[in-house]
Amino acid sequence: MELLTTPENMIRMRGEPVHPVRKVRFTHWSSPRELIDCRFYFTQNHTGNDGVAVELEPESITPERLPQQPPRKRSYNPTSHTSSLSSPRLHLHTRSNFNLDSPGFEDFALGFARHHNVLMFEDRSESLDHRAANFRSLLNHFTATALGGRSRGARAAVRGAMYTSCKTLIFYTYPLVRDLETRFEKLLALDSKTEVLFVLGDSNPQCPEMQLALVRKRMEAKMWWVRVLRADHRFEFKEDLKKRIPDVCGQIAGLWLKSRDFGLTELTVQTKDGVVVWTEWMALRVELEGSVTSINLEILSPNLSGGNRSITVRL
């Protein structure tokens, strides 16, 4: 497992990627009547027949949408351009009413793509089952080892994992509670073979740390936790931190997918003097029981039945 806080790695993770991350926009027919918007992020250099690097551009896919009629053209697959461009390791889904190019979430994908190709897709349906079905549809065209998402997209990824072979999940914020509603049943339904990474702000009102810790104790799935200090559910930061913090979190998630230690499950990200810093992975914090004080009281009274009494009080 690679150390994250060596001077070399700190400089590398804060700087620009050695190989620039590229992005391809394309559309995918998830059903005969539904076309979803997608992005594919990768770092491999793609070269044409003349050996000159070229930008990948998707084919124009604009078939008419006719009810009950299958699409006239198969979904564009960026990996078909070259054998050197591997399939995505992660399928990442946005939250409700959130486009794919929004700052923050895309920066998380860009950071992750330094280590693995990633496919991000959009689905504005209010149905979590509908969103989960799109995970299954994409997996039929693009193999992946992990599913993930932001907010509602993360909840859809949980359902997607329950009905696919993917047993690795990555959540960039998770809405565990909303008003008086709690949403942990699907997390508890994940089996012991599933491994989950949460990237959460410690000031997230939709996922209080105390409640997540209680859910974690009940989960069969194995869980890792990246705690981002002073971050809320929207991961909003001032100035360039709104890009740098999600980018670092994406890199940490990408390295976690490469290798992880089952005994080291918590990591903290924060800013100091405007610089993003982070810890190594650490063991789960164990809340120690409060110290117990025993006080022995001996009551002397001739009026007590049986004579003197001794009472022990534990505080």
Side-chain angles (χ1 to χ4, degrees), residues 45-315:
N45 292 326
H46 177 69
T47 57
N49 295 330
D50 56 359
V52 179
V54 297
E55 287 289 339
L56 291 178
E57 292 295 340
E59 300 169 357
S60 175
I61 303 178
T62 57
E64 298 177 8
R65 297 194 201 182
L66 299 177
Q68 305 302 324
Q69 182 175 340
R72 300 180 181 180
K73 201 166 190 177
R74 296 184 63 185
S75 293
Y76 167 77
N77 187 336
T79 63
S80 64
H81 276 268
T82 172
S83 59
S84 64
L85 189 60
S86 59
S87 295
R89 290 289 304 278
L90 171 67
H91 288 178
L92 199 58
H93 182 26
T94 63
R95 68 178 190 178
S96 297
N97 301 320
F98 211 76
N99 67 63
L100 296 176
D101 301 314
S102 298
F105 190 45
E106 183 178 49
D107 293 306
F108 178 83
L110 290 169
F112 187 92
R114 294 194 189 197
H115 303 284
H116 310 281
N117 293 350
V118 55
L119 187 155
M120 190 158 64
F121 72 97
E122 183 180 65
D123 181 348
R124 295 178 179 269
S125 171
E126 292 298 319
S127 169
L128 290 175
D129 289 330
H130 183 278
R131 291 167 177 251
N134 279 333
F135 274 111
R136 295 195 295 271
S137 174
L138 285 166
L139 285 171
N140 289 332
H141 292 78
F142 308 90
T143 58
T145 58
L147 306 180
R150 176 176 185 171
S151 195
R152 180 183 284 265
R155 294 180 64 201
V158 175
R159 297 185 181 222
M162 296 174 66
Y163 303 108
T164 67
S165 59
C166 286
K167 294 296 182 181
T168 307
L169 295 167
I170 297 175
F171 302 147
Y172 181 71
T173 75
Y174 192 92
L176 187 64
V177 298
R178 183 176 182 181
D179 299 327
L180 298 179
E181 178 189 4
T182 57
R183 302 157 166 172
F184 57 82
E185 292 83 0
K186 296 299 182 182
L187 292 174
L188 299 183
L190 296 172
D191 61 35
S192 59
K193 296 180 180 179
T194 305
E195 299 176 6
V196 186
L197 173 66
F198 284 84
V199 180
L200 299 168
D202 69 337
S203 302
N204 184 353
Q206 295 192 44
C207 195
E209 291 191 356
M210 182 177 295
Q211 288 187 263
L212 180 61
L214 293 174
V215 172
R216 181 180 193 174
K217 291 180 180 179
R218 299 175 58 188
M219 288 175 60
E220 291 187 16
K222 301 173 183 65
M223 175 182 155
W224 285 257
W225 187 347
V226 175
R227 177 185 291 103
V228 184
L229 300 188
R230 292 183 291 279
D232 58 11
H233 187 70
R234 297 174 63 88
F235 265 67
E236 292 184 341
F237 299 94
K238 295 180 179 180
E239 301 174 351
D240 64 335
L241 289 177
K242 67 178 62 177
K243 293 178 63 68
R244 290 193 285 131
I245 291 177
D247 180 89
V248 167
C249 289
Q251 293 182 63
I252 292 172
L255 290 168
W256 173 86
L257 189 59
K258 285 185 177 181
S259 65
R260 45 199 175 272
D261 190 317
F262 291 99
L264 305 175
T265 59
E266 293 193 2
L267 182 150
T268 300
V269 176
Q270 61 181 313
T271 59
K272 290 185 178 180
D273 300 323
V275 178
V276 184
V277 297
W278 53 91
T279 66
E280 294 290 349
W281 285 103
M282 298 179 291
L284 174 66
R285 293 180 301 173
V286 178
E287 296 183 3
L288 300 177
E289 295 184 2
S291 58
V292 177
T293 302
S294 298
I295 302 177
N296 294 317
L297 301 177
E298 187 172 2
I299 302 175
L300 304 176
S301 174
N303 297 323
L304 289 175
S305 175
N308 300 339
R309 291 291 181 88
S310 178
I311 301 175
T312 300
V313 180
R314 295 170 62 86
L315 302 178

